[in-house]
Amino acid sequence: MELLPVDTYLIILIVLIALLVIAILLAVFSPRLFVRGLFRPVLATFYRKRVVGLEKFPKEGGCLLVSNHMSWIDGILILWALPRNVRFVVDGSNFTSKIGDYLGRAFDTIFMMGGPKSIGRAIRDAREGLNKGDVVGIFPEGTITRTGQLQAFRPGMSKILKNTDAKVVPVHLEGMWGSIFSFSGGKYFWKWPDKFRRTITVYVGDPLPADTPISTVRGKVQALGSQAQIDHRREFPVLARQVLRVWRRRGKRLQAADTLGTEVGGRKLLINTLALRRCLHREVFSKDEQFIGVLLPPSVGAVAVNVALAADRRVSANLNYTVSSEVMNHCIHDVGIKHVLTSDRFLEKIDVELDAEIVSLDKLKEKVSLADKVIAALQATIVPSWLLDRILGLNKIQSDDLLTVIFTSGSTGMPKGVLLSNANVSHNVDAVNRAIRLTTEDVVIGVLPFFHSFGYAVTLWAAQTLGPAGVYHFNPLDSKQIGKLAEKYKATVLLGTPTFMRGYLRRITPEQFKTLNVAVVGAEKMPADLFDAFEKRFGVRPVEGYGTTEMSPLVSVNIPPSRSAAKFQPDRVEGSVGRPLPGISARIVSPDDGTELDANEDGMLLVTGPNVMRGYANRDDLTQSAVIDGWYTTGDIAHIDNDGFLHITGRLSRFSKIAGEMVPHVRIEEELGKLLSEGEDDDQVRVCVTAVPCDRKGERIIVLHLPTSQIPDALREGLKEAGLANLFIPAADSFFEVDQIPLLGTGKLDLKGARDRASELTLASC
């Protein structure tokens, strides 16, 4: 090989020396330019950056940038993404090395070294920076989130802004959850990232005045997080694709079991489901048939049917088997169901006449051919997952394609069909994973019916895609069998309602629940005494969550103590239903004029996020009134406390406006429930408070109660002693004894049935 001339080598050497001298000069005299020059190509190698709302970011003048805190390098990424230097206020203990100190000072970082004096000095420096026209940045949570949920904002923000006219710029950084720098998977750093070139998006909100309340600023950051996940909903896994991979990896390990005696490992369940899908596709469905009815209790068979429908790109419609034929047929006609899949044994137990063709899964088994079984076995064991996706057409599923229709409980009228997309339910599954961190060692007790949105999203899809095994029983009130199921399969996770939990408390032994370490309740308010009683008996303290069918369904949850990784910030507040899950925002508005309310003020709860339903089936009018600008009106009265925890006060339909004041039915119901349960040794719902129209006062409070020896005057006196205002205490002639309190199949009160019964008893008179 011919060598280059000596002059050429000399020129190259001179250029290299010159570049080195320039780099040294930059490092000494312009550290910021030097560091940016080093970091930009490195960051561009591992991340793609995008800024949404950059035009809102002030081009000049002092402003306080307020951001969520998802990872160790959030500050670096924001500095990379934005055009102006941001002087972050940071914990100086992380910058004690010479390199750390150099990097921090290159960007005029404001250090807090601990102790009141250092903190006070940092606040003054930040305030002076704002007054000089600098951009000062803070992570007001004070710590990196362990779940992806936005935590409470510390009060230091207000101290920094004192005596300034600086704008507050809310910012949300999206895309770092799952990186080695986040707490995903329950740890930092020592893990494989779930992506090797991430897209990092910085969302910039409208600048706010310096005197904006902290709770409002937090709400704006949270809303940007919701916008981010709505924009990125295509990144949520397609559940039909994910479950096939999970079952294949599970192999022979138990994946699902039920009290019918069925036990299957992951691979066997996958083979059976694929064979069922082939048979249904060939023998039952027409090519363009979309909605398929399912009439089955929670069981291994119901899991297989729902997954088979998803794998065939059909929309499942799990029908409520606790309602009348009239209501069930209303649901069938509402979405145009032609076929209903069920079993002969189950159909014999319920007395229904359906306006659709009934497909017996027992008889369908006879039509599953040897070819179906062989092909399914090959697909489950040999065919690569990416190829199986294409064979089944799962690669064509879009995030907004429908996955299921869940019918509302009908507690206030005829059920409505809630259309939920793949992204809707997939977001909920991801949120469960972040909050509760299910593992392959978990066993979830599935007693909630799949026609219930919580049962469908969590005990079906979350249990089957996040690693655990699911064990199923058809009756959530059957404590005896549930206890046996939990003991046999060493259950770790229980989901239910307070009514169900009280029944388990009475009839399940501590030995049967000895492996249980997570208990999550919802659907109704958890009585204060039940927390202590459940923990005392089983060693597990339940936590409350909240959701609605229209939100797919989860909105918020307290983190179970056994799964908590909280440091410096609480992640559970009893009496609340937890903080909104990642990607979900909540705000409280006045029911009268829609103005947004401050922290701790009761009002109408609105929620937004990627889990907001596609809409109500064939009811655009109801959809448009329920979802406005992406925010779903829940109908619940609530407030958000200073730490961001959501407290449900009641339901708007469960208030009566009497003499100009809002009277809460639930508050009256709680106190009457205590009075009527004294000396009783069962878990029955004994009282329901409702109302009927009244010409004189607008509404009249009515109490429906089970037979009792206590007279109305004694109950009224008990309400007074409990501190209820006179306006809240029903008249003596407003107490009516009934044989049974109207309940739905989910255990919730049948509010429409209660109102109708009250009207019959009072003849709608005052």
Side-chain angles (χ1 to χ4, degrees):
M1 184 176 70
E2 186 177 350
L3 297 176
L4 294 173
V6 174
D7 290 349
T8 303
Y9 285 110
L10 185 60
I11 292 170
I12 292 173
L13 180 61
I14 292 171
V15 170
L16 291 175
I17 292 173
L19 290 174
L20 180 61
V21 171
I22 292 170
I24 293 172
L25 291 173
L26 282 174
V28 174
F29 296 105
S30 185
R32 188 177 304 166
L33 189 61
F34 174 71
V35 173
R36 283 188 183 275
L38 286 179
F39 272 75
R40 277 176 176 162
V42 174
L43 291 171
T45 301
F46 294 101
Y47 303 100
R48 306 179 190 88
K49 71 174 178 178
R50 179 169 166 256
V51 182
V52 176
L54 183 59
E55 71 282 357
K56 300 174 184 177
F57 192 73
K59 294 182 175 58
E60 58 184 20
C63 63
L64 183 69
L65 183 150
V66 179
S67 175
N68 66 315
H69 204 4
M70 196 71 71
S71 79
W72 280 94
I73 62 170
D74 290 347
I76 294 172
L77 295 170
I78 290 173
L79 282 166
W80 177 44
L82 296 180
R84 296 178 65 186
N85 181 56
V86 182
R87 299 184 61 195
F88 279 103
V89 181
V90 300
D91 181 357
S93 63
N94 296 320
F95 293 83
T96 53
S97 67
K98 289 185 177 180
I99 294 177
D101 182 69
Y102 177 80
L103 292 174
R105 296 189 185 282
F107 295 93
D108 293 333
T109 302
I110 300 170
F111 296 120
M112 287 191 300
M113 300 306 298
K117 289 185 178 179
S118 176
I119 293 172
R121 186 164 50 250
I123 289 173
R124 287 193 299 272
D125 289 346
R127 188 184 301 141
E128 289 172 4
L130 292 176
N131 288 327
K132 287 192 303 183
D134 295 339
V135 179
V136 175
I138 61 172
F139 298 108
E141 296 165 271
T143 183
I144 299 173
T145 177
R146 261 65 174 176
T147 61
Q149 291 171 293
L150 190 67
Q151 302 165 102
F153 278 14
R154 302 296 193 187
M157 181 175 72
S158 297
K159 297 177 182 178
I160 291 172
L161 289 164
K162 187 177 180 180
N163 298 324
T164 77
D165 57 0
K167 297 291 185 182
V168 179
V169 182
V171 164
H172 177 87
L173 178 64
E174 178 69 16
M176 283 304 291
W177 186 263
S179 75
I180 62 171
F181 301 106
S182 72
F183 199 73
S184 64
K187 57 185 175 182
Y188 296 112
F189 303 116
W190 305 111
K191 61 192 173 190
W192 284 104
D194 58 8
K195 297 176 185 174
F196 285 95
R197 190 152 192 260
R198 314 180 71 83
T199 297
I200 304 302
T201 309
V202 176
Y203 283 79
V204 181
D206 292 314
L208 304 168
D211 60 355
T212 303
I214 292 177
S215 60
T216 301
V217 177
R218 184 182 178 280
K220 298 297 183 183
V221 174
Q222 194 167 45
L224 289 173
S226 294
Q227 180 189 341
Q229 290 215 4
I230 291 169
D231 290 348
H232 292 81
R233 63 189 181 278
R234 291 174 181 80
E235 296 183 14
F236 292 123
V238 173
L239 294 174
R241 299 173 68 178
Q242 188 176 5
V243 74
L244 302 185
R245 287 162 171 75
V246 170
W247 286 356
R248 175 178 281 188
R249 288 197 301 269
R250 190 81 173 187
K252 293 182 179 180
R253 289 186 62 191
L254 180 72
Q255 182 62 55
D258 58 34
T259 44
L260 299 175
T262 308
E263 293 182 356
V264 287
R267 188 176 297 119
K268 183 178 180 181
L269 183 55
L270 177 55
I271 293 171
N272 292 346
T273 301
L274 291 173
L276 174 62
R277 175 207 162 270
R278 283 180 57 83
C279 187
L280 286 169
H281 187 88
R282 181 184 65 247
E283 300 287 342
V284 179
F285 306 143
S286 61
K287 184 178 180 181
D288 59 349
E289 193 170 348
Q290 184 182 22
F291 294 96
I292 310 298
V294 180
L295 190 60
L296 291 170
S299 58
V300 175
V303 170
V305 167
N306 276 275
V307 174
L309 293 176
D312 200 37
R313 292 184 287 161
R314 313 282 179 174
V315 181
S316 63
N318 286 272
L319 299 172
N320 185 345
Y321 40 78
T322 68
V323 299
S324 65
S325 297
E326 178 189 4
V327 174
M328 204 178 298
N329 285 321
H330 164 81
C331 298
I332 287 171
H333 293 304
D334 197 28
V335 295
I337 293 171
K338 297 178 181 177
H339 293 95
V340 174
L341 309 181
T342 187
S343 74
D344 293 335
R345 181 162 44 168
F346 184 65
L347 201 58
E348 290 173 0
K349 295 181 179 180
I350 55 175
D351 182 21
V352 293
E353 295 183 7
L354 302 182
D355 296 340
E357 183 178 344
I358 295 175
V359 178
S360 167
L361 294 168
D362 305 288
K363 295 183 176 64
L364 192 69
K365 285 181 182 179
E366 302 170 2
K367 297 183 179 180
V368 177
S369 65
L370 178 61
D372 290 330
K373 296 176 182 177
V374 171
I375 292 172
L378 292 173
Q379 290 175 334
T381 56
I382 296 175
V383 177
S385 296
W386 64 267
L387 181 55
L388 182 58
D389 289 343
R390 282 155 179 77
I391 292 172
L392 301 180
L394 303 184
N395 60 310
K396 298 177 182 178
I397 296 177
Q398 301 297 311
S399 59
D400 290 336
D401 290 347
L402 290 180
L403 176 65
T404 190
V405 55
I406 301 287
F407 294 95
T408 59
S409 62
S411 63
T412 58
M414 272 295 186
K416 300 183 290 289
V418 177
L419 304 173
L420 301 179
S421 69
N422 279 274
N424 289 155
V425 181
S426 187
H427 165 271
N428 255 216
V429 169
D430 177 68
V432 168
N433 195 30
R434 296 193 195 193
I436 301 180
R437 290 191 289 135
L438 297 175
T439 73
T440 55
E441 302 305 313
D442 279 316
V443 176
V444 178
I445 302 178
V447 294
L448 296 174
F450 295 165
F451 63 72
H452 189 284
S453 54
F454 197 27
Y456 181 82
V458 181
T459 59
L460 196 167
W461 285 109
Q464 295 299 321
T465 60
L466 296 180
V471 294
Y472 300 94
H473 183 59
F474 57 86
N475 183 1
L477 296 172
D478 187 359
S479 303
K480 183 178 179 181
Q481 289 301 322
I482 291 167
K484 291 179 179 179
L485 197 72
E487 184 175 26
K488 179 178 180 180
Y489 294 104
K490 296 179 172 57
T492 59
V493 179
L494 174 66
L495 311 166
T497 70
T499 298
F500 300 161
M501 296 294 180
R502 199 175 286 282
Y504 305 156
L505 186 64
R506 296 175 186 274
R507 299 185 181 93
I508 292 178
T509 67
E511 181 68 18
Q512 290 174 316
F513 269 2
K514 70 177 181 180
T515 56
L516 196 70
N517 58 55
V518 171
V520 181
V521 297
E524 54 186 282
K525 186 173 178 58
M526 180 81 162
D529 65 311
L530 193 51
F531 287 105
D532 293 329
F534 199 91
E535 183 179 30
K536 183 178 179 181
R537 184 165 177 81
F538 300 120
V540 179
R541 196 161 188 88
V543 297
E544 285 186 271
Y546 167 77
T548 71
T549 303
E550 290 83 351
M551 294 298 293
S552 313
L554 290 177
V555 171
S556 63
V557 70
N558 285 289
I559 307 302
S562 63
R563 304 299 166 101
S564 175
K567 285 189 176 181
F568 315 116
Q569 284 259 20
D571 56 12
R572 174 174 59 94
V573 170
E574 283 186 10
S576 82
V577 291
R579 288 193 181 106
L581 290 159
I584 300 175
S585 296
R587 70 183 183 193
I588 308 298
V589 302
S590 166
D592 298 322
D593 58 18
T595 56
E596 189 164 355
L597 302 177
D598 291 336
N600 300 308
E601 289 188 289
D602 277 338
M604 177 65 72
L605 172 63
L606 309 184
V607 188
T608 190
N611 55 331
V612 175
M613 64 173 178
R614 285 274 305 275
Y616 293 116
N618 303 311
R619 292 303 305 267
D620 290 343
D621 56 332
L622 294 180
T623 303
Q624 290 168 9
S625 62
V627 183
I628 301 173
D629 295 330
W631 289 83
Y632 169 63
T633 303
T634 65
D636 289 316
I637 301 298
H639 68 262
I640 300 172
D641 67 22
N642 292 324
D643 291 331
F645 287 89
L646 183 60
H647 298 254
I648 305 297
T649 306
R651 187 153 182 84
L652 187 61
S653 61
R654 301 223 63 203
F655 281 78
S656 290
K657 199 159 191 177
I658 299 175
E661 289 193 37
M662 297 296 284
V663 178
H665 297 179
V666 174
R667 178 78 177 91
I668 304 168
E669 209 167 69
E670 286 176 349
E671 296 302 333
L672 286 173
K674 294 175 185 177
L675 295 170
L676 291 167
S677 296
E678 290 178 2
E680 301 291 346
D681 190 30
D682 59 50
D683 56 338
Q684 289 189 76
V685 177
R686 298 187 168 278
V687 64
C688 173
V689 175
T690 184
V692 296
C694 174
D695 293 335
R696 186 163 55 87
K697 292 185 176 181
E699 285 187 289
R700 174 188 175 192
I701 298 294
I702 300 297
V703 177
L704 305 179
H705 63 85
L706 295 183
T708 178
S709 60
Q710 300 185 63
I711 62 174
D713 284 340
L715 295 172
R716 296 178 76 245
E717 189 61 33
L719 293 178
K720 287 181 183 179
E721 292 175 0
L724 268 66
N726 287 334
L727 193 64
F728 289 21
I729 299 176
D733 62 355
S734 294
F735 288 76
F736 292 91
E737 185 178 293
V738 293
D739 294 332
Q740 191 173 16
I741 300 297
L743 296 176
L744 299 170
T746 56
K748 295 168 66 175
L749 287 172
D750 181 354
L751 301 181
K752 181 178 182 300
R755 282 199 307 272
D756 292 345
R757 183 72 176 124
S759 295
E760 292 173 7
L761 292 168
T762 62
L763 299 177
S765 64
C766 293

